[in-house]
């Protein structure tokens, strides 16, 4: 399950094109104090829980003020007995353009341990990480945590069903790209109520976790927040569903259907 929890919880979307800056709205759709909590279900059993937070940061990079983004993921119930996961991720992003300056992850999964760091030098198109120095294709490359928050603030007002979107991100020891297809609009029943949502289908790589024909679907609120409320994917055995548990400190009202 290494990286699976993080990928499912915060895999999101980008915008078309590798060689150009990606357009986003005039200001972030999130704010300091936002806390989102999710549960990850394997079939009908809750296997893990995740928490995403936005905090004010005292740190400045290149003289620029930053937000601190935090993600925590841990197994629960029976899964916690047989394979304990305690993963923590931090990302410091520019308050204006939302690009990451610094990223670190502290992974504790069973007996496996890893602590990696990465410093993003956007203008030089470089990422200096624990595993080495990597060249990026653009001046806009993200870690998975900052990619999620940046993507929420993208301008997707002109998207139509079938449109593809892309975003570059650094993970481990390579630069990858998220590619997602916009499916349409649906009303989704959640713990927070029935919510108007935008539905996306991110591309995933088959392997030890995902089948060759696996489909991942993601639903985000069709309002100013763009908060993911549900994700669903088929794996080698069974299926995994992510559902929102709570959303505090949101910048805008949720698109709840009465």
């Amino acid at each position: 399950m290494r990286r699976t929890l993080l990928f499912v919880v915060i895999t999101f979307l980008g915008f078309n094109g590798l060689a150009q800056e990606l357009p986003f709205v005039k200001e972030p759709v999130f704010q300091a104090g936002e806390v989102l909590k999710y549960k990850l279900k394997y079939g009908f059993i809750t296997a893990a829980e995740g928490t995403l937070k936005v905090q004010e940061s005292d740190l400045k990079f290149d003289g620029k003020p930053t937000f601190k983004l935090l993600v925590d993921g841990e197994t629960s119930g029976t899964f916690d007995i047989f394979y304990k996961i305690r993963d923590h991720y931090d990302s410091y992003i520019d308050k204006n353009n939302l690009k990451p300056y610094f990223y670190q992850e502290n992974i504790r999964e069973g007996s496996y341990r890893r602590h990696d760091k990465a410093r993003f030098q956007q203008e030089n198109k470089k990422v200096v990480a624990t595993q080495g120095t990597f060249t990026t294709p653009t001046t806009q490359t993200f870690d998975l945590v900052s990619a999620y928050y940046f993507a929420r603030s993208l301008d997707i007002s002109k998207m139509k069903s079938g449109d593809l979107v892309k975003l570059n991100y650094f993970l481990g020891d390579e630069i990858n790209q998220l590619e997602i297809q916009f499916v349409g609009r649906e009303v989704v029943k959640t713990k927070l109520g029935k919510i108007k949502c935008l539905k996306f289908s991110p591309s995933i790589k088959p392997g030890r976790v995902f089948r060759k024909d696996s489909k991942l679907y993601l639903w985000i609120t069709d309002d100013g927040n763009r908060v993911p409320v549900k994700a669903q994917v088929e794996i080698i055995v069974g299926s995994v569903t992510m559902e929102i548990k709570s959303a505090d400190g949101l910048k805008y009202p949720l698109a709840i259907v009465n």
Side-chain angles (χ1 to χ4, degrees):
M1 289 183 69
R2 291 171 190 168
R3 299 191 186 277
T4 304
L5 178 61
L6 173 67
F7 189 83
V8 173
V9 171
I10 67 176
T11 293
F12 195 59
L13 59 96
F15 218 84
N16 199 14
L18 269 171
Q20 59 186 8
E21 290 282 303
L22 309 181
F24 58 97
V25 293
K26 293 182 180 180
E27 60 181 27
V29 300
F30 54 87
Q31 61 185 357
E34 181 187 272
V35 180
L36 306 175
K37 294 186 178 181
Y38 297 89
K39 62 180 178 181
L40 202 66
K41 298 171 64 176
Y42 177 68
F44 296 102
I45 303 172
T46 298
E49 296 183 348
T51 301
L52 289 76
K53 299 179 181 179
V54 181
Q55 295 180 350
E56 292 283 358
S57 171
D58 294 330
L59 294 182
K60 290 186 176 181
F61 290 85
D62 302 333
K64 304 292 182 59
T66 61
F67 284 120
K68 182 181 181 181
L69 311 176
L70 303 90
V71 175
D72 288 286
E74 60 181 44
T75 45
S76 60
T78 304
F79 284 83
D80 200 49
I81 297 174
F82 292 101
Y83 192 78
K84 188 183 295 291
I85 292 177
R86 296 292 185 273
D87 292 347
H88 178 80
Y89 309 84
D90 294 318
S91 182
Y92 291 84
I93 64 171
D94 190 288
K95 277 192 171 182
N96 294 315
N97 60 34
L98 308 184
K99 297 178 186 180
Y101 289 111
F102 179 74
Y103 168 79
Q104 62 180 348
E105 56 184 29
N106 186 8
I107 308 299
R108 294 184 296 158
E109 302 181 353
S111 60
Y112 179 78
R113 299 289 186 273
R114 189 183 71 253
H115 187 192
D116 287 346
K117 299 180 180 180
R119 177 70 162 92
F120 290 79
Q121 299 177 2
Q122 302 286 358
E123 297 306 314
N124 296 327
K125 296 183 180 180
K126 289 183 179 180
V127 178
V128 181
T130 303
Q131 300 87 346
T133 299
F134 303 85
T135 300
T136 64
T138 71
T139 59
Q140 202 175 48
T141 300
F142 303 86
D143 56 80
L144 275 181
V145 178
S146 61
Y148 159 75
Y149 283 94
F150 177 84
R152 282 176 56 189
S153 294
L154 282 171
D155 183 1
I156 57 176
S157 59
K158 297 181 180 179
M159 288 191 65
K160 303 182 298 295
S161 179
D163 284 352
L164 290 175
V165 293
K166 300 176 184 179
L167 183 69
N168 301 311
Y169 68 94
F170 171 78
L171 181 63
D173 58 358
E174 60 182 351
I175 306 295
N176 292 292
Q177 185 182 84
L178 296 179
E179 182 175 298
I180 296 184
Q181 184 178 47
F182 176 53
V183 178
R185 289 173 167 81
E186 292 183 2
V187 174
V188 177
K189 186 177 181 180
T190 75
K191 189 176 181 180
L192 307 180
K194 292 183 179 179
I195 301 177
K196 294 180 181 178
C197 290
L198 304 171
K199 184 179 180 181
F200 295 88
S201 179
S203 61
I204 53 179
K205 295 180 179 179
R208 295 194 312 173
V209 177
F210 302 115
R211 302 201 312 254
K212 187 175 182 180
D213 59 346
S214 291
K215 286 286 188 179
L216 171 60
Y217 292 107
L218 179 67
W219 291 263
I220 68 169
T221 60
D222 190 6
D223 54 29
N225 301 294
R226 304 290 193 217
V227 172
V229 296
K230 182 180 179 180
Q232 192 169 37
V233 63
E234 295 177 338
I235 57 177
I236 297 296
V237 179
S239 63
V240 173
T241 302
M242 180 195 77
E243 297 177 351
I244 195 165
K245 290 176 58 181
S246 62
D248 298 311
L250 297 180
K251 197 170 185 178
Y252 305 101
L254 287 171
I256 295 178
V257 178
N258 294 323

